[in-house]
Amino acid sequence: SSSNFLSQLVEFGNTGKDRINDETIEFLSVYIDIEQFNPGVAKNASTAAEGLCTYVRAMKFYHEASKIVKPKMEALAIAENQMEAANAALEAAEARLSACTDKLAELQRMFDDQMAKKKSIEEGAMVLQKKMNQASALIDGLAGERTRWAEDAKNFGEQKKRLVGDCAIACAFVSYCGPFNQQFRDYLINDKFTADCEARSVPVTRNLDVISFLADVATIGDWNMQGLPTDPLSTQNGILVTKSTRFPLLVDPQGQALNWILNKEKDNLPTWNGQSVVNLSDPKLKDKLEYCMGDGKSLVVVGVEDEIDPMLDPVLEKEIIRKGSKMFISVSDKV
């Protein structure tokens, strides 16, 4: 009798039962087939004998059952391995399918983009062809203008040569003709300025129209809509006001110039008690001047007669003080 016999039986039940072969069962069958070899008879001897008898018979029945179940278990294991391999292959195939699908989507997007570009190019080509046809028709229709264009090109060349003298006359007009009437301005331009350029061998246009030279038709039209009279003198005055680098003093008994300036600068004029102009005698002239200069607003001063407040001299003379990137003007000893 071994002291660890029970442990050996448990160990055999866990691992050794699968190593039983037919030869062992054949040896056991000699005893198991005996009629008295059953748990009921063994119980008469002892409870341990009953358990051992049951254990031995169970081993025999387990072996007989395992001969049927074990092949199926092995087949099941093989099938499971095959299924795992098939699932792995399926996952790989699905991954390849997903990659192919993504690639197909990318290619489809590229195809759609290229087709859209192709359509755009075709539409552009059709528009260009239409323009070419129109241009050809226009060229054919204007073939008779070739001579006039050649003459215009020649005239442009002549105008280019006279441009220096014309600019000099325009500058002299803006600088010196402001105080005079229409007749004296024409006298200065045609008899003085032009003659001086010719005497200095500077090419110049005879009877130069300073209005068309210094302002275009659209600008003059805007001025007229803003209230400037349409006569040549008023148009010249508008040029003097807008082209001069100094602040203009307007002698305006009828108020036409004031009305034009107020309309022209209405978006940039501040208002004080409903008024957009400032009288020279206004006690708050200094404050209003500082406000307009600080905010970049326009300031219209009316009521100017023989004398001007010395406070305005630095502004009128543009005595600008530069400090770094900023510009200042001293007004009443205040910068």
Side-chain angles (χ1 to χ4, degrees):
S1 59
S2 176
S3 58
N4 58 351
F5 178 66
L6 182 60
S7 299
Q8 292 177 350
L9 290 178
V10 173
E11 178 66 23
F12 185 82
N14 292 332
T15 60
K17 62 182 182 295
D18 292 324
R19 296 196 296 270
I20 299 175
N21 54 34
D22 292 339
E23 184 179 0
T24 303
I25 295 302
E26 184 178 353
F27 289 148
L28 287 175
S29 296
V30 177
Y31 302 99
I32 293 174
D33 292 340
I34 298 174
E35 184 177 355
Q36 288 77 18
F37 191 83
N38 61 72
V41 175
K43 185 178 180 181
N44 295 329
S46 66
T47 303
E50 178 189 11
L52 185 60
C53 178
T54 302
Y55 180 86
V56 172
R57 292 172 64 85
M59 291 297 104
K60 176 179 179 297
F61 296 147
Y62 174 82
H63 176 72
E64 292 174 349
S66 67
K67 291 174 67 176
I68 299 172
V69 175
K70 189 174 182 180
K72 295 181 179 181
M73 294 295 292
E74 293 175 351
L76 175 62
I78 294 173
E80 289 178 345
N81 292 334
Q82 292 176 346
M83 184 180 70
E84 291 179 359
N87 287 335
L90 176 62
E91 291 178 358
E94 290 177 345
R96 292 195 300 273
L97 175 62
S98 177
C100 292
T101 302
D102 294 341
K103 185 66 175 178
L104 176 61
E106 181 181 358
L107 293 174
Q108 184 65 42
R109 180 185 58 79
M110 294 174 61
F111 174 76
D112 294 339
D113 292 342
Q114 294 301 319
M115 291 301 294
K117 291 181 180 179
K118 175 177 176 292
K119 183 178 179 181
S120 176
I121 292 173
E122 290 177 347
E123 292 175 351
M126 293 177 61
V127 172
L128 182 60
Q129 183 63 45
K130 184 177 179 180
K131 290 181 178 179
M132 289 176 59
N133 295 337
Q134 294 174 345
S136 298
L138 181 62
I139 291 173
D140 293 340
L142 297 178
E145 297 290 321
R146 188 181 189 90
T147 303
R148 185 176 65 83
W149 289 344
E151 293 178 356
D152 288 344
K154 182 179 179 180
N155 292 333
F156 290 152
E158 295 296 328
Q159 290 179 8
K160 185 177 179 181
K161 293 179 181 179
R162 300 192 300 267
L163 187 59
V164 174
D166 293 347
C167 289
I169 291 178
C171 292
F173 167 78
V174 174
S175 300
Y176 303 112
C177 291
F180 306 115
N181 60 22
Q182 181 70 60
Q183 290 75 18
F184 197 73
R185 289 178 181 177
D186 292 340
Y187 167 73
L188 290 176
I189 293 172
N190 298 323
D191 296 342
K192 292 297 182 180
F193 300 154
T194 302
D196 185 66
C197 288
E198 291 176 344
R200 299 173 186 271
S201 301
V202 177
V204 65
T205 301
R206 296 288 301 177
N207 300 318
L208 177 67
D209 182 9
V210 292
I211 293 178
S212 60
F213 187 80
L214 292 174
D216 56 75
V217 177
T219 301
I220 296 174
D222 291 340
W223 292 348
N224 296 147
M225 292 179 63
Q226 292 163 354
L228 184 70
T230 58
D231 60 279
L233 179 63
S234 297
T235 304
Q236 288 183 0
N237 290 337
I239 293 174
L240 292 171
V241 169
T242 56
K243 299 295 185 180
S244 176
T245 58
R246 293 177 175 267
F247 299 104
L249 173 63
L250 306 181
V251 180
D252 185 32
Q254 297 179 352
Q256 293 177 329
L258 178 61
N259 180 60
W260 169 59
I261 291 177
L262 292 179
N263 290 329
K264 184 177 184 297
E265 299 293 329
K266 63 181 179 179
D267 295 332
N268 200 38
L269 281 174
T271 57
W272 296 281
N273 298 323
Q275 297 293 325
S276 299
V277 298
V278 180
N279 198 287
L280 184 63
S281 61
D282 192 326
K284 295 184 178 181
L285 175 61
K286 176 177 175 295
D287 297 334
K288 294 177 180 180
L289 175 62
E290 290 178 354
Y291 169 76
C292 291
M293 293 181 65
D295 284 15
K297 298 291 186 180
S298 299
L299 180 66
V300 179
V301 182
V302 298
V304 180
E305 297 186 1
D306 295 338
E307 296 182 359
I308 297 178
D309 192 331
M311 174 188 67
L312 297 176
D313 289 345
V315 179
L316 297 177
E317 297 297 332
K318 296 185 178 181
E319 296 177 356
I320 299 174
I321 303 172
R322 296 182 181 273
K323 295 182 179 180
S325 59
K326 297 182 179 180
M327 295 184 293
F328 303 89
I329 290 182
S330 178
V331 177
S332 297
D333 297 328
K334 180 180 178 181
V335 178

